[in-house]
């Protein structure tokens, strides 16, 4: 039996071209959100958040349920609501976000409450490079723009209209993720809750780097970083807890956040900023992490032609949207200026520069020296202020850098691993691990069929229990054709269905037709026609 199925593999995440202010581009962005409403063609908002169609999410092993949830044994279920739509208002395209702010993943807190967030704003307003919304020339100006939880912006000038009853909390959100959860990147004492300077005064962050404010009755859950749980599979195999209780998360929170995007190493939409500009994940279109030279003080970046302005996820605070940009680039001034809100600021990631430089002013170095480095999980090792760095090119195996600043190398992504063809590669700090696929045994470098499994067939003819699929992936035809991407895809399919990689065959790799691109709102995608052999017709039907 051969079944042909066309699916969109990355329904919630997609690489994109530079968006303009058109209605079609607004709808393309709206389609990337995990909507629960009857939106029509992303042009029909719900009458209200309260009246919106919902989706039930069940969190297993959550013994203390949230107020808006239903407890059944140790399972807590809640209704999440999200509707992102677009309209043309007399020539101005506007995007509307309606959400009850409840996530599509487990949370640690039991006091999270549903919200009534409903606002509209012009979509991706055209900005002019050099015509800054904020010109930040002093330390106080920079701190006052980035550090407060309550931002000073002119909602009327930006065209922001709050419609829901939760307008007060909505106004403090810096944006919303594709799953409808709010972003905030500061606390009430003007510090980064992920790496605070003075005291750990916050309710602990959970594994999704979110929480609700400890001293607020609103129960508003929000992310304080680019949450790894924006990837809906991130928590698979993990038990929800506080970040501090998880060794890997506590050791390096910034790397923990980035790890959720390991399968999205390209320019990926992860949300919308409060001002209507698109928010992207931590990787650029070439698969590289955004650098300090790419962003302004608000964490905004520009397209190569300096036409499109957008926000990007970074390893350093403010992580995604620090203020309503565009702004100038204070890090390029003389002397350089960096926001003093976090022990994990931009100055920790300067290319080739150690975290504490000899020529830093006391005010600039204080965020990194307010607490001994030994007590702080730091994404890049912090030098003592009295230490003079010795230039070196030796970062050790599994790391790259100049010997002072060393960053972990993802051998699995770069193809530097020596895992067997029938094995999965998992990146670790400074190394990698190889695990044989189901049906094989060995050390991951050498994998042989288990005695109970028949040897891989060399017959290219599809058996009765074969499934043929067409998936849409966030690559160009040329990118997918590289051995690294192609082999990674084959390994992923084989692992997902528990079959050898030899049972996965690529039939065709093509760019979607123009008509199909319009129907699926696609851009810069590739359609992969592939077949996979499974053990039985029942397994084939289950896969379909």
């Amino acid at each position: 039996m051969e079944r042909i199925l066309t699916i969109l593999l990355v329904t919630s995440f997609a690489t994109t071209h530079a968006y303009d202010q058109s209605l079609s581009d607004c709808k393309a962005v709206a389609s990337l959100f995990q909507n629960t409403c009857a939106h029509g063609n992303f042009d029909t908002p719900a009458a209200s958040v309260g009246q919106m169609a919902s989706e039930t999410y069940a969190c297993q092993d959550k013994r203390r349920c949230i107020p808006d949830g239903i407890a059944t044994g140790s399972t807590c279920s809640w209704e999440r609501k999200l509707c992102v739509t677009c309209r043309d208002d007399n020539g101005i395209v506007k995007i509307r976000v309606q959400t009850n702010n409840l996530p599509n993943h487990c949370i640690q807190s039991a006091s999270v409450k549903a919200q009534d967030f409903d606002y509209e704003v012009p979509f991706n307003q055209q900005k002019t490079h050099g015509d800054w919304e904020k010109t930040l020339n002093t330390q106080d100006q920079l701190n006052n723009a980035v550090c407060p939880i309550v931002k000073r912006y002119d909602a009327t000038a930006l065209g922001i209209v709050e419609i829901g009853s939760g307008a007060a909390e909505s106004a403090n959100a810096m944006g919303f993720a594709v799953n409808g959860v709010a972003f905030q990147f500061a606390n009430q004492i003007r510090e980064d809750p992920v790496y605070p300077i003075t005291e750990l005064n916050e309710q602990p962050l959970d594994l999704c780097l979110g929480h609700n404010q400890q001293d607020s009755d609103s129960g508003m859950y929000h992310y304080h970083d680019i949450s790894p749980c924006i990837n809906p599979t991130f928590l698979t195999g993990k038990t929800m807890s506080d970040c501090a209780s998880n060794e890997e998360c506590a050791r390096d929170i910034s790397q923990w956040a980035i790890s959720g995007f390991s399968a999205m190493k390209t320019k990926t939409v992860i949300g919308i900023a409060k001002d209507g500009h698109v928010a992207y994940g931590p990787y650029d279109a070439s698969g590289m992490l955004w650098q300090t030279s790419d962003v302004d003080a608000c964490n905004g970046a520009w397209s190569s032609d300096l036409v499109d302005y957008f926000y990007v996820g970074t390893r350093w605070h403010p992580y995604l949207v620090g203020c309503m940009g565009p702004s100038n680039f204070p890090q390029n001034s003389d002397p350089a200026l960096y926001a003093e809100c976090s022990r994990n600021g931009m100055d920790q990631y300067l290319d080739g520069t150690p975290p504490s430089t000899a020529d830093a002013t006391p005010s600039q170095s204080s965020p990194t020296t307010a607490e001994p480095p030994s007590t702080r999980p730091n994404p890049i090792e912090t030098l003592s202020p009295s230490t003079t760095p010795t230039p070196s090119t030796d970062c050790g195996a599994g790391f790259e850098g100049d010997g002072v600043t060393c960053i972990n190398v993802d051998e699995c992504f770069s193809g530097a691993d020596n895992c067997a063809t029938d094995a999965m590669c998992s990146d670790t700090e400074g190394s990698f691990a190889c695990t044989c696929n189901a049906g094989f045994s060995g050390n991951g470098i050498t994998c042989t069929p288990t005695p109970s499994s028949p040897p891989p067939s060399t017959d290219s003819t599809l058996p009765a229990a074969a499934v043929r699929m067409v998936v849409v992936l966030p690559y160009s035809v040329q990118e997918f054709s590289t051995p690294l991407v192609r082999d990674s895809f084959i390994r992923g399919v084989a692992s997902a269905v528990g079959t050898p990689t030899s049972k996965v065959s690529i039939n065709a790799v093509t760019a979607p037709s123009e008509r199909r691109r319009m129907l699926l709102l696609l851009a810069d995608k590739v359609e992969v026609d592939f077949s996979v052999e499974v053990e039985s017709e029942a397994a084939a039907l289950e896969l379909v």
Side-chain angles (χ1 to χ4, degrees):
M1 174 194 69
E2 181 177 289
R3 291 181 175 270
I4 301 178
L5 177 67
T6 300
I7 60 175
L8 184 62
L9 189 64
V10 282
T11 56
S12 299
F13 308 109
T15 55
T16 65
H17 64 294
Y19 291 109
D20 57 28
Q21 292 70 46
S22 67
L23 183 61
S24 60
D25 272 3
C26 182
K27 289 182 177 182
V29 170
S31 72
L32 303 177
F33 283 73
Q34 294 154 15
N35 294 297
T36 67
C37 64
H39 55 70
N41 183 24
F42 304 102
D43 55 7
T44 306
S48 68
V49 172
Q51 299 178 61
M52 187 191 306
S54 63
E55 172 187 88
T56 302
Y57 180 79
C59 178
Q60 308 292 330
D61 298 322
K62 185 170 180 59
R63 301 187 182 279
R64 293 180 60 223
C65 201
I66 65 175
D68 295 298
I70 298 176
T72 306
S74 61
T75 298
C76 176
S77 302
W78 57 77
E79 299 298 314
R80 60 171 293 267
K81 299 180 179 182
L82 176 62
C83 196
V84 180
T85 54
C86 304
R87 70 183 179 104
D88 187 324
D89 183 16
N90 295 318
I92 299 176
V93 173
K94 297 183 177 180
I95 188 166
R96 184 171 175 179
V97 179
Q98 300 171 285
T99 176
N100 71 351
N101 203 57
L102 294 182
N104 59 345
H105 57 73
C106 286
I107 50 180
Q108 178 69 359
S109 173
S111 55
V112 170
K113 299 176 183 178
Q115 306 294 313
D116 179 16
F117 293 159
D118 186 348
Y119 84 101
E120 188 177 59
V121 63
F123 172 71
N124 196 31
Q125 291 186 74
Q126 182 67 58
K127 300 295 182 180
T128 301
H129 188 271
D131 185 8
W132 312 126
E133 292 287 337
K134 287 181 173 59
T135 302
L136 309 171
N137 293 326
T138 70
Q139 191 66 60
D140 283 346
Q141 288 175 342
L142 179 56
N143 289 348
N144 288 336
V146 177
C147 299
I149 188 172
V150 179
K151 305 296 183 182
R152 296 178 179 175
Y153 63 84
D154 189 336
T156 302
L158 292 174
I160 298 173
V161 177
E162 297 285 355
I163 303 168
S165 62
E169 291 284 12
S170 174
N172 292 333
M174 296 307 293
F176 291 89
V178 290
N179 62 1
V181 175
F183 288 114
Q184 282 187 341
F185 303 106
N187 61 18
Q188 293 168 335
I189 59 172
R190 298 166 58 100
E191 293 183 6
D192 167 20
V194 180
Y195 286 114
I197 298 171
T198 56
E199 59 180 308
L200 298 173
N201 69 318
E202 294 278 341
Q203 181 168 319
L205 297 172
D206 62 22
L207 294 186
C208 295
L209 305 183
H211 66 189
N212 56 291
Q213 290 163 326
Q214 194 169 31
D215 56 354
S216 171
D217 293 330
S218 74
M220 173 189 171
Y221 185 78
H222 50 277
Y223 297 138
H224 276 302
D225 206 324
I226 47 172
S227 173
C229 299
I230 292 174
N231 175 356
T233 65
F234 179 76
L235 290 177
T236 301
K238 300 178 178 69
T239 300
M240 175 51 72
S241 69
D242 293 336
C243 176
S245 302
N246 181 285
E247 181 180 358
E248 185 179 355
C249 184
R251 182 175 64 246
D252 190 338
I253 306 175
S254 184
Q255 182 58 39
W256 177 263
I258 297 294
S259 69
F261 301 88
S262 60
M264 294 176 270
K265 292 185 176 179
T266 187
K267 194 177 176 185
T268 304
V269 175
I270 64 169
I272 193 80
K274 187 70 180 185
D275 64 2
H277 286 275
V278 180
Y280 292 97
Y283 292 93
D284 64 18
S286 64
M288 302 297 293
L289 291 167
W290 297 101
Q291 302 298 311
T292 58
S293 57
D294 296 325
V295 301
D296 63 17
C298 297
N299 245 45
W302 292 86
S303 57
S304 58
D305 59 4
L306 302 182
V307 171
D308 187 33
Y309 181 75
F310 46 86
Y311 298 97
V312 300
T314 58
R315 294 161 287 171
W316 58 87
H317 184 264
Y319 307 115
L320 189 62
V321 185
C323 49
M324 302 303 178
S327 80
N328 62 328
F329 296 77
Q331 72 269 31
N332 295 337
S333 62
D334 186 15
L337 299 176
Y338 306 97
E340 298 174 326
C341 324
S342 173
R343 289 178 291 126
N344 185 43
M346 180 189 289
D347 54 322
Q348 298 271 10
Y349 295 85
L350 301 181
D351 299 335
T353 303
S356 299
T357 57
D359 59 351
T361 65
S363 64
Q364 291 168 349
S365 61
S366 60
T368 63
T369 59
E371 186 171 332
S374 61
T375 66
R376 169 184 180 253
N378 193 359
I380 296 180
E381 184 175 351
T382 304
L383 302 177
S384 166
S386 62
T387 302
T388 301
T390 302
S392 169
T393 58
D394 184 15
C395 279
F399 295 88
E400 61 183 7
D402 60 0
V404 176
T405 300
C406 297
I407 300 174
N408 177 58
V409 173
D410 188 338
E411 292 86 356
C412 303
F413 179 71
S414 65
D417 66 281
N418 62 344
C419 297
T421 303
D422 292 304
M424 287 296 294
C425 178
S426 302
D427 185 54
T428 62
E429 189 75 8
S431 187
F432 60 93
C434 304
T435 306
C436 294
N437 291 335
F440 287 80
S441 60
N443 60 7
I445 299 174
T446 301
C447 297
T448 57
T450 56
S452 59
S453 302
S457 173
T458 57
D459 184 6
S460 61
T461 304
L462 290 174
V467 179
R468 183 175 179 180
M469 293 184 177
V470 177
V471 297
V472 181
L473 299 174
Y475 302 100
S476 66
V477 173
Q478 182 178 4
E479 289 171 334
F480 183 83
S481 299
T482 62
L484 176 62
V485 176
R486 184 186 180 98
D487 292 349
S488 177
F489 172 77
I490 291 175
R491 287 183 182 182
V493 172
S495 177
V497 299
T499 194
T501 54
S502 59
K503 301 292 187 180
V504 181
S505 56
I506 305 295
N507 303 318
V509 179
T510 57
S513 66
E514 187 63 28
R515 179 175 181 275
R516 181 165 171 74
R517 289 165 69 95
M518 292 179 65
L519 286 173
L520 293 179
L521 298 173
L522 298 175
D524 301 328
K525 300 287 195 305
V526 62
E527 287 189 338
V528 180
D529 181 331
F530 72 98
S531 301
V532 56
E533 300 176 22
V534 289
E535 295 180 355
S536 65
E537 182 173 333
L541 290 173
E542 182 178 352
L543 179 60
V544 173

